[in-house]
Amino acid sequence: MKIRPPTIKDVAERAACGIATASRVLNGRGPASEKTREKVLAAAADLGFEFSDLGRSLQSSTTRTIGCVVPSLANPVFADVVQAAQAEANRAGYQLILACSDYDAELESRAIRTLLAKQVDGLIVTVSNADESEGLEQVRARGVPCALVYNRSCGDLPAWTVDNRAAAAAVAREFAARGHRHTGFLALEFGRSDRSRERFEGFAEACAALGMAPPVLLEIAEQEGQLLELLRALLSANRDVTGIFASNDYLALAAMKAARGLGMRIPRDLSIVGFDGISTGLMVEPNLATVVTDPRAMGEGAARTVLAQLAGETPPAGPDPARTFSFRQGGSLGPPAPGSTDGGEAATSPPSRQ
Amino acid sequence: MKIRPPTIKDVAERAACGIATASRVLNGRGPASEKTREKVLAAAADLGFEFSDLGRSLQSSTTRTIGCVVPSLANPVFADVVQAAQAEANRAGYQLILACSDYDAELESRAIRTLLAKQVDGLIVTVSNADESEGLEQVRARGVPCALVYNRSCGDLPAWTVDNRAAAAAVAREFAARGHRHTGFLALEFGRSDRSRERFEGFAEACAALGMAPPVLLEIAEQEGQLLELLRALLSANRDVTGIFASNDYLALAAMKAARGLGMRIPRDLSIVGFDGISTGLMVEPNLATVVTDPRAMGEGAARTVLAQLAGETPPAGPDPARTFSFRQGGSLGPPAPGSTDGGEAATSPPSRQ
DNA sequence: ATCGAGAATGGAAACGTTTCCATTTTCGAA
DNA sequence: TTCGAAAATGGAAACGTTTCCATTCTCGAT
């Protein structure tokens, strides 16, 4: 029982005036005598008239709608991004159309295409690989305003992201300062996220520069349920690493749990550092040391960039890279235990302890 | 530099045929000679033509779009609901337009109205009070298919939700079985969520039936940063309760942390039970005992219900109330310490510490 | 009373589709 | 060759707006 909602034509008819007049009155622009104004308003009220955005959009070729593509909402980082972007868009009278790509480049492109067909006025997007995204091609071809989030700036597209390499380097320094020499980088679906790759590369570089052993890449392919078992296996197989840098907090927390299950004590037997700064990190004991970022600021900034372009204003500058992250100390990071297999193939003298 | 995308008219012109013919070819329905088919297809390819959903929607008065209103994406429960609903809608060729109400009835209604103006074909909604939502009024007036999520069914609107009262009663039984008699119910923004209210009522009723003292309502108004301090104050002021049932897991975890900060040991000095079953509950030590629910199933079910209505099929039955939750044991729930002030407000001896 | 300026009004086109229907074309059978 | 049926085609209306522009009103000034 779908009701046909009243149109402006119905209103005009009931108010015994032309459509153009009704439109002017209802929109509050253009001249109209007091008498007709009242008639129109009354008619609209009687009918419970509401404009249909469809006709409007068609005529103005503007939908007041922004498309948003993120990998997943299960990661609180992206949930925050979306929520912030949504709020900001709303404030400017825009709605957000959401699509989740599930970290799949194919779905990503399809989503972008669909959004474009829906005539979104702008786009806010996180892609798995900004440099070779077929979807972004189309966006450029159409000249639709678009901002990247958590992707490095790519071509002419503005980007709101953290400086992954610098942040990873900071983590390396924290490890080094405490005397760690053998570390691991823990990633889920490594291949599917250039964020992960950047963090690993930045970390590896810094480790080298700091005279540490190259970090071993601990990669987990799928997360089907047995994440913990996989982690346990990984940890058991790499007893010589004294510190683990996880590519996100969730993974870091899981690693903490797995390590505990193995009877390891944190940070004595294993130090763990995360990435993102989600609030859960503060709920566990010991607190998770991590790189804290500000997803809301990213989402909001991206939205503002797009909205400014739509309004013909000059968009805000992207974030200051150095301010996009900060390191948060936490009990999960400490010096390795004296007895740990620190010596490895290189270092001979144990690093000094406080 | 917004490009005017090519329209079907451009294609027709280039293919030297009528618009109607081009439409038929491009849509693959209706007769067309092989020759023209080729010409049209070639023209479309040359121009990079893509249909605009706008004209289509106007003409079919269908947008293949579903509106979705949830309180917030910061709560993983709703993030899951949205993600699942989005996936299901996508599968059927629908897009999701998202709005967050921030637990505010006013915003809620506004969002619904906007979505309706955008001519969404259906709605998936979580409201703060289903019985007196002005927005839902409008929905009914317009006859737009709509499903409620995490709200009790209201009037004719189908709902996908957990049986809050039954679940709360189960929690009460768990407390009772371990000898707790004085419990508290912890809620954030109690007034803004009928979910919270239902849980409290179900809990209180069951406590009474089990011969326990009426649970004290521990309410927190705002969460501006100092959530932990507020919790600490609340806990300190209610030393006689031996068990706390939190209206959601996040709150429960925060309470665990606050209690630890107060030197209390869990579950010896205080047992804590949450609600929702978010995965973080398994990352902390001890694990959080909680009512686990299935937000994805709810979101997916709601989407299916709406989609079925749109397709003219008979919608699936709602969830079986008894299956909407299950209790998960966890280390955060245990018997109260023997020395605890079980006897009532009069207790004189300080809680024993190890 | 007449005129003209400015206000008020409504018809119609345009936005991009789909679809009805009338017209034209094609082609096989007589 | 002619006829008729079926296939192919394109004009036009409709969907709900906004807006241009031409027309009609209203009034004050002459």
Side-chain angles (χ1 to χ4, degrees):
Chain A
M1 52 163 94
K2 179 74 160 300
I3 278 68
R4 190 186 75 89
T7 74
I8 199 173
K9 198 181 291 184
D10 299 324
V11 174
E13 198 166 314
R14 189 170 231 264
C17 71
I19 294 180
T21 305
S23 172
R24 273 188 301 255
V25 171
L26 261 11
N27 282 297
R29 55 169 149 273
S33 73
E34 196 50 41
K35 206 179 43 175
T36 33
R37 186 183 309 279
E38 277 167 17
K39 275 196 307 184
V40 170
L41 258 20
D46 286 359
L47 262 31
F49 170 80
E50 297 269 357
F51 279 112
S52 159
D53 278 352
L54 239 57
R56 260 186 185 174
S57 294
L58 185 55
Q59 124 71 38
S60 63
S61 59
T62 238
T63 54
R64 298 199 80 77
T65 265
I66 290 183
C68 182
V69 183
V70 294
S72 160
L73 251 29
N75 184 337
V77 171
F78 292 117
D80 277 357
V81 166
V82 171
Q83 172 137 310
Q86 201 266 342
E88 188 65 22
N90 241 227
R91 214 162 294 143
Y94 283 75
Q95 300 305 119
L96 213 67
I97 303 193
L98 178 71
C100 297
S101 66
D102 206 18
Y103 298 92
D104 179 330
E106 168 64 20
L107 281 182
E108 222 171 70
S109 291
R110 190 155 47 223
I112 292 181
R113 224 195 314 275
T114 310
L115 258 13
L116 249 20
K118 273 224 163 354
Q119 312 279 105
V120 293
D121 293 337
L123 278 165
I124 297 174
V125 177
T126 296
V127 294
S128 67
N129 188 328
D131 290 318
E132 44 193 58
S133 162
E134 188 216 335
L136 290 186
E137 268 332 297
Q138 306 245 353
V139 172
R140 265 189 278 259
R142 286 272 287 268
V144 173
C146 175
L148 262 20
V149 183
Y150 279 93
N151 281 122
R152 221 178 357 189
S153 174
C154 156
D156 41 351
L157 265 23
W160 287 74
T161 179
V162 310
D163 186 341
N164 286 308
R165 309 181 94 93
V171 172
R173 280 194 300 275
E174 297 285 341
F175 275 125
R178 285 169 180 75
H180 291 268
R181 297 200 25 86
H182 286 87
T183 59
F185 180 84
L186 178 61
L188 187 64
E189 308 272 359
F190 189 66
R192 288 191 174 192
S193 156
D194 53 12
R195 290 175 290 292
S196 241
R197 275 195 300 277
E198 281 183 31
R199 289 169 196 172
F200 177 63
E201 288 164 16
F203 188 57
E205 260 172 39
C207 283
L210 290 161
M212 299 162 66
V216 357
L217 176 58
L218 308 171
E219 188 180 357
I220 296 194
E222 281 295 332
Q223 71 196 93
E224 294 312 327
Q226 3 70 328
L227 177 58
L228 280 182
E229 287 90 78
L230 291 175
L231 279 172
R232 269 203 273 263
L234 224 39
L235 293 183
S236 306
N238 291 276
R239 288 280 182 180
D240 58 326
V241 326
T242 60
I244 285 189
F245 177 25
S247 73
N248 68 53
D249 280 354
Y250 186 81
L251 218 43
L253 293 170
M256 276 177 69
K257 187 178 170 71
R260 262 197 311 265
L262 249 28
M264 302 169 109
R265 300 245 306 271
I266 293 172
R268 194 179 195 287
D269 302 324
L270 184 67
S271 279
I272 295 185
V273 174
F275 202 115
D276 286 342
I278 66 179
S279 62
T280 318
L282 295 171
M283 305 262 121
V284 299
E285 202 61 50
N287 284 184
L288 179 64
T290 191
V291 172
V292 1
T293 69
D294 192 347
R296 311 187 90 98
M298 299 296 138
E300 193 183 311
R304 273 219 294 266
T305 302
V306 171
L307 291 169
Q309 286 186 63
L310 290 176
E313 301 163 6
T314 77
D320 170 5
R323 298 278 169 78
T324 52
F325 68 89
S326 63
F327 187 82
R328 184 171 77 204
Q329 306 290 345
S332 71
L333 170 62
S340 73
T341 69
D342 190 1
E345 43 277 67
T348 48
S349 66
S352 67
R353 299 278 144 63
Q354 171 252 31
Chain B
M1 56 163 91
K2 179 74 160 298
I3 278 67
R4 192 186 74 86
T7 74
I8 199 173
K9 197 181 293 182
D10 299 324
V11 174
E13 198 167 312
R14 189 171 234 265
C17 70
I19 295 180
T21 306
S23 173
R24 273 188 302 256
V25 171
L26 261 11
N27 283 296
R29 55 169 147 273
S33 72
E34 196 51 39
K35 206 178 43 169
T36 35
R37 186 182 310 279
E38 277 168 18
K39 275 196 307 180
V40 170
L41 258 19
D46 285 358
L47 262 30
F49 170 79
E50 296 269 358
F51 279 113
S52 159
D53 278 352
L54 239 56
R56 249 179 195 183
S57 293
L58 185 56
Q59 123 76 33
S60 63
S61 61
T62 237
T63 54
R64 298 199 82 77
T65 263
I66 289 183
C68 182
V69 183
V70 294
S72 160
L73 251 30
N75 184 336
V77 171
F78 292 117
D80 277 357
V81 166
V82 172
Q83 171 138 312
Q86 200 266 344
E88 187 66 23
N90 241 226
R91 213 163 295 142
Y94 283 76
Q95 299 305 119
L96 213 65
I97 302 193
L98 177 70
C100 297
S101 66
D102 205 19
Y103 296 95
D104 178 330
E106 167 64 20
L107 281 181
E108 220 171 73
S109 292
R110 190 155 48 225
I112 293 181
R113 223 195 316 274
T114 310
L115 258 14
L116 250 19
K118 273 222 162 358
Q119 313 278 106
V120 294
D121 293 338
L123 277 165
I124 297 174
V125 176
T126 296
V127 294
S128 66
N129 188 327
D131 290 318
E132 43 193 59
S133 161
E134 187 216 334
L136 289 186
E137 270 330 300
Q138 305 244 356
V139 173
R140 265 189 280 257
R142 286 272 288 269
V144 172
C146 175
L148 261 21
V149 183
Y150 278 96
N151 280 123
R152 220 180 359 192
S153 174
C154 156
D156 42 350
L157 264 23
W160 287 74
T161 180
V162 310
D163 187 340
N164 286 307
R165 309 182 93 94
V171 172
R173 281 195 299 275
E174 297 285 341
F175 274 126
R178 283 168 183 76
H180 292 268
R181 296 198 26 82
H182 287 86
T183 60
F185 181 84
L186 179 62
L188 186 64
E189 309 271 357
F190 188 66
R192 288 189 172 191
S193 157
D194 54 11
R195 290 175 290 293
S196 243
R197 276 194 299 279
E198 282 183 29
R199 288 167 197 174
F200 177 63
E201 288 164 16
F203 188 56
E205 261 173 39
C207 283
L210 292 161
M212 298 161 67
V216 357
L217 176 58
L218 307 172
E219 188 180 356
I220 295 194
E222 282 295 334
Q223 71 196 93
E224 293 314 327
Q226 2 71 329
L227 177 58
L228 280 182
E229 288 90 77
L230 291 174
L231 279 172
R232 270 203 274 262
L234 224 42
L235 294 182
S236 306
N238 291 277
R239 289 279 183 179
D240 59 325
V241 325
T242 60
I244 284 188
F245 177 26
S247 72
N248 67 55
D249 280 354
Y250 186 80
L251 217 42
L253 292 170
M256 277 178 70
K257 185 178 169 71
R260 262 197 312 264
L262 250 28
M264 301 168 105
R265 302 248 305 271
I266 293 171
R268 192 178 196 288
D269 303 323
L270 184 67
S271 279
I272 294 184
V273 174
F275 202 114
D276 285 342
I278 66 179
S279 62
T280 318
L282 295 171
M283 304 263 124
V284 299
E285 201 63 51
N287 283 184
L288 179 64
T290 190
V291 171
V292 2
T293 68
D294 192 346
R296 310 187 91 97
M298 299 295 142
E300 191 182 312
R304 272 219 295 265
T305 302
V306 170
L307 291 169
Q309 285 186 61
L310 289 177
E313 302 164 4
T314 77
D320 171 4
R323 299 276 169 78
T324 52
F325 67 89
S326 63
F327 187 82
R328 183 171 76 203
Q329 305 291 347
S332 70
L333 170 62
S340 73
T341 69
D342 194 358
E345 48 275 77
T348 49
S349 65
S352 67
R353 299 274 145 63
Q354 173 254 32

